[in-house]
Amino acid sequence: MPDPRALRIDVGPFRLEPTPAAGTWTAVARGDGGGAASGITASWSDWVAFAEKVRRADELWREREARGDAWDEGFVAARDAAAVNPYR
């Protein structure tokens, strides 16, 4: 069975490529044909921490969007006399 630490990981617009130093990966833009020097190199724990920060930021953004959508729905319902405003 091949060592999974030697495999490339595709994550959206970039990929993580293993480096000769075990335990580190380099982020390279998906369209970039360059080598390891063209990206950011970090340990696996650093990439996991980065992914958690991205996930948390996305969660906060989605929560803000949901609040805005709820306000918009309530505002529209308040302007229509026949509509029932679910937020009152």
Side-chain angles (χ1 to χ4, degrees), residues 63-77 85-87:
E63 180 184 335
R64 293 265 186 205
E65 284 291 313
R67 285 185 198 171
D69 291 344
W71 188 91
D72 290 343
E73 290 174 13
F75 181 76
V76 169
N85 186 347
Y87 304 102

Side-chain angles (χ1 to χ4, degrees), residues 35-72:
S38 62
I40 300 169
T41 301
S43 70
W44 185 250
S45 60
D46 293 332
W47 288 119
V48 170
F50 174 69
E52 176 60 24
K53 288 180 181 181
V54 169
R55 189 200 62 78
R56 181 71 179 128
D58 183 60
E59 180 183 323
L60 290 172
W61 177 256
R62 290 175 190 266
E63 180 184 335
R64 293 265 186 205
E65 284 291 313
R67 285 185 198 171
D69 291 344
W71 188 91
D72 290 343

